Each structure stands twice: as C-alpha cells, then as structure tokens.
Amino acid sequence: MSSDLYLVVARGRDAGARLRLDDGDLVVGRARDADLVLLDPRVSRRHLRVRAQGDGVHVVVLEDASHLLIGGVPRTEADLHVGDTLLVGDTALVVARMSEESVGPGSHSTELGALMTGLAADVRGLVAAMDLVEGLDAADDDDGIRAALDAWARRYVSAVEATILQGDAIDEELTQAGSARLVERVGSRPETRVLAAPAHASAPAWIALTCPATAPLTDTTRRLVAVAGRMCASAMARVHALQVSRDQVDSLRLASVGSARTFLGGSPAAVEVARLATRLAPSDVVVLLEGETGAGKTFVARLIHESGPRSKEPLRVLNCAAIPEALLESELFGHERGAFTGAATAKPGALEAAGRGTVLLDEIGELPLASQAKLLRVLEDRRFERLGSNRSLHLEARVLAATNRDLSEMVARICSIAWRS
C-alpha cells in the first residue's frame, strides 16, 4: 500500500479538497489554472507555491499575496511536516499522508487514536453525530438502539445494514482487535465490506456497518463510525442501568407494599372497586378515596396508577398529616433558595418531582384551609410556582387524594360555625 503527501483543505469553503504533492512546484490560489483552486475571496489568484521536499513540504508566498499564518505567526516561507496546519485567508490547510488504494480482499484495522488526530472541522460530521445522539436518546431498549444506529448508518455512511454484535457474535478477529481499533474487512457477500467499531459497555460489543465495496471510505467516515461506537456503548450502558433500576424498584415494591396488580379480592364490593379503578386509570381526573384507616386507600391508588398509561412513571405519596404546617407548601410546591429561613438550596416539591407520574395526597383532610385554596387553584389551572419564585411551572402529574375523615360533615360544621358567627 503506497502512501503520498497531500495538502488537504480542512476548513473553509473548499473543505475536503486536496492536492497531491510531488517533486514539482504547484500553485495554490483562486486562478482557474491553479493546481489547487480555492474559492476563498481572501486568497489571491496565485497565492502559494508548494513543493514536496523529503518527508515534508516547502511553502512560499508568491508576490503581492498576503502572508500565511502558522501557529498564529505570519510567514512568507516555511517548511512543514505531516500534521502541520497553515492558514491562508479564511482557509485552513493541513499536510497529510494519505493512501489512494482501496481496501483489498483481506481485512485490516486502524488505530482509533490516529483517526482522531489533526484538524477535523467537518460540519457534516458534527450534524451526523448530533442526529445519532437524538436517535439514541429516544431509544429505551437494545432494539431501539439498533434501529437508531441502522437508520443513521444508512443515511450518513451509505450502509445497507448496521447491527450490534455481542456475546457469541463477536469473532476471534474482533476479540483480538481489542478496544482501540477500527476493523475493516470483506463482508459476507463479495460486493460488500464491513466496518466494525468497538462499543464496549458493561460487556464487549461492536457495531458492524455493512457498506457496498464501491462506496468511498474516507477518514471522515472512519471517525464517524468510531464516534458512533462510543455513543452506542454509552446508550447501551444507560438502557441496561435503567432496566436494572426498574427491576430493583419492582423488587423493593413487592417486598414492602406489594403490587396492586396482584389484586385478588373476590367479593362483590372488591370486584366493583377493581372495575371502577380500571375505568379511572386511563383518565387524568382527580380522584378522592375515602375510607377508614386500614381500608386500603393507598392500595387502590396504586392500582389506579399501575393500570394506567403512567405506570412507568413514579408514584409519590405525600402524607399531609405527618408534615408540619409551616413546611407543607414547601413539600407540595417546592421552594427556591432563600425562600424562608433554612432554605439553603432550591428543592422541587412533590408535584414537580413526580414528573408525568402520580401524586397521592394522603390524609387530605388534614390540609390547612389556606393550603387547600392554593391546591384548588393548581388543580384548576394546572400551573404552580415554587415558594420564593414567580416562574410558573406546568403540572404534568396526575393527582389522587385520600382521607379517613368525613369531608362532607367537616364542611357542614365549618359552614355552621361561620353562619353562627
């Protein structure tokens, strides 16, 4: 495999253009007869004369052209080596040693560190990386990650297929390549080739992109695939950690209060409760659960939560009777730093922390009248503010309430007292 020196446009209007250097003098400029034509208006028609010289390049600024910049220093003449960058006008050029030969019938690998060196101001590559980030962020399982990778690879790498190799699917060649090499080899069909990048997370894994053998394979493409491997590794680690967390939460729930999905009541009253809870589950209406202590109000609230579309979201329980009156609104709505004495840091309340889940306000009958009025406004407007803040937050959570008090009797007593006074 022969290697040659090139002058490559790394940044500017002509990014990607390159000039192969040989022993003769070559001209860089805006003139049509220049050996490397640049469209940069700040470049002269005949700006530079370049010549390969041993393992480096000799560069001379031609008459009446502006100085070039190397490391921020104006120069009219310089000797450059592979990896050096020069700035002429608004265009950055880098000296690179590149191969013109295509991938042969065998396989080979590339050091990832070598791919990531040098000036790589490829805007298209940044856009491609951002698109992959968005696709992976939307995935919540391994199948979603594979689908996001496949769609991205078809669009940006001209791949016909992209998959993730794990376990027995990782062959000896990939195992020996380790975690710092990009492997290129002939595909299962002669007209294809496979580009594989490490995506090791909690276990060894590789992303494998199958591309047509005729598709151009540049260092920019290799960089994209290497970065895609790291992104997929991070996404898989996130998905697996989330699944472990969910499994642990389910185990703890079963060990402590049990799951409402195991509702086994067979009496007519129990069957009616289960039927009513199932009907209420898909809606967002506020539900009030009344009953004596120990009747199972929290259990029914959990049944409503777990039977509806919010079952994957948190269920937050706030016991209104167990919180001092002075702190109740802070626990419910949250507070900003300095909102009251002792508020050293900002803190979200139960309504905000529940996100799109469910909030159960247990012992709602113990809520002070002033707080009840504020809660009523929140339920009507679906908006609230933290204490000490004037920024309105949208209420996304569903609200359930429970009490062992006879609220109708309490209202009648309060009205009677108010009438007598």
Side-chain angles (χ1 to χ4, degrees):
M1 181 177 291
S2 62
S3 296
D4 298 283
L5 285 176
Y6 283 81
L7 194 61
V8 181
V9 179
R11 186 183 70 224
R13 298 180 62 175
D14 304 283
R18 60 188 183 182
L19 173 66
R20 182 177 178 176
L21 304 175
D22 52 32
D23 294 334
D25 289 336
L26 301 173
V27 175
V28 177
R30 286 191 295 110
R32 290 188 177 184
D33 59 348
D35 297 287
L36 177 60
V37 179
L38 301 178
L39 300 179
D40 187 345
R42 295 187 58 192
V43 173
S44 300
R45 295 186 70 256
R46 301 174 67 82
H47 203 117
L48 301 175
R49 184 176 69 245
V50 297
R51 172 196 289 265
Q53 187 171 284
D55 291 332
V57 179
H58 186 68
V59 181
V60 178
V61 175
L62 297 177
E63 187 176 358
D64 297 330
S66 61
H67 292 182
L68 56 87
L69 292 178
I70 299 178
V73 179
R75 303 282 293 275
T76 58
E77 188 173 356
D79 290 318
L80 304 176
H81 302 282
V82 173
D84 288 344
T85 301
L86 61 93
L87 185 66
V88 51
D90 293 324
T91 301
L93 301 104
V94 61
V95 179
R97 190 176 295 280
M98 306 174 64
S99 171
E100 288 292 329
E101 297 181 8
S102 60
V103 177
S107 63
H108 68 281
S109 60
T110 306
E111 286 286 350
L112 294 185
L115 285 178
M116 297 305 168
T117 57
L119 185 60
D122 185 352
V123 175
R124 182 175 180 273
L126 295 176
V127 172
M130 288 300 298
D131 278 358
L132 181 57
V133 168
E134 292 180 359
L136 294 176
D137 282 349
D140 56 5
D141 55 26
D142 286 344
D143 289 339
I145 293 175
R146 290 188 181 92
L149 174 64
D150 185 73
W152 175 85
R154 291 175 185 271
R155 179 177 182 183
Y156 289 102
V157 193
S158 302
V160 296
E161 179 188 13
T163 188
I164 297 177
L165 306 178
Q166 294 175 292
D168 295 339
I170 301 177
D171 56 35
E172 184 177 354
E173 182 180 1
L174 295 182
T175 301
Q176 293 178 350
S179 60
R181 301 193 75 85
L182 194 73
V183 176
E184 304 168 34
R185 60 188 182 187
V186 175
S188 57
R189 301 186 304 277
E191 67 274 14
T192 63
R193 60 183 170 186
V194 174
L195 191 60
H200 305 323
S202 56
W206 289 74
I207 62 170
L209 281 59
T210 302
C211 305
T214 56
L217 187 59
T218 65
D219 276 354
T220 297
T221 301
R222 294 184 179 95
R223 290 188 188 98
L224 279 177
V225 175
V227 171
R230 300 300 188 196
M231 289 181 178
C232 288
S234 178
M236 288 189 292
R238 172 181 58 82
V239 166
H240 294 166
L242 181 60
Q243 186 58 51
V244 170
S245 177
R246 286 173 176 169
D247 292 343
Q248 290 176 343
V249 169
D250 289 341
S251 298
L252 291 173
R253 177 192 297 167
L254 290 173
S256 57
V257 297
S259 171
R261 296 179 185 139
T262 60
F263 188 79
L264 300 176
S267 68
V271 171
E272 177 62 18
V273 169
R275 184 191 66 81
L276 184 59
T278 303
R279 287 182 56 191
L280 291 171
S283 70
D284 288 330
V285 297
V286 179
V287 177
L288 174 63
L289 303 170
E290 296 181 301
E292 299 176 356
T293 301
K297 299 184 293 297
T298 302
F299 180 87
V300 175
R302 188 177 295 281
L303 177 62
I304 294 173
H305 172 72
E306 293 183 352
S307 301
R310 301 175 185 266
S311 59
K312 298 294 185 181
E313 303 296 333
L315 169 64
R316 301 293 295 263
V317 179
L318 187 67
N319 190 335
C320 300
I323 302 174
E325 183 175 342
L327 298 177
L328 192 55
E329 291 186 17
S330 171
E331 292 294 324
L332 191 59
F333 306 120
H335 63 259
E336 296 292 345
R337 179 181 178 182
F340 52 85
T341 303
T345 60
K347 176 186 175 183
L351 296 180
E352 183 180 353
R356 295 186 57 82
T358 303
V359 176
L360 171 61
L361 301 178
D362 199 11
E363 305 298 346
I364 189 71
E366 309 302 325
L367 199 66
L369 292 178
S371 298
Q372 289 186 32
K374 293 180 180 180
L375 178 60
L376 176 61
R377 181 176 64 84
V378 170
L379 295 179
E380 289 177 342
D381 298 343
R382 306 294 296 179
R383 306 198 72 83
F384 64 95
E385 298 86 31
R386 290 182 178 182
L387 297 183
S389 171
N390 58 5
R391 183 169 65 93
S392 181
L393 301 175
H394 180 67
L395 175 62
E396 297 183 331
R398 181 182 188 176
V399 178
L400 306 178
T403 181
N404 62 356
R405 305 285 292 272
D406 187 340
L407 298 185
S408 298
E409 189 273 334
M410 292 176 65
V411 170
R413 187 171 68 254
I414 292 174
C415 290
S416 176
I417 294 174
W419 180 78
R420 287 199 302 269
S421 62

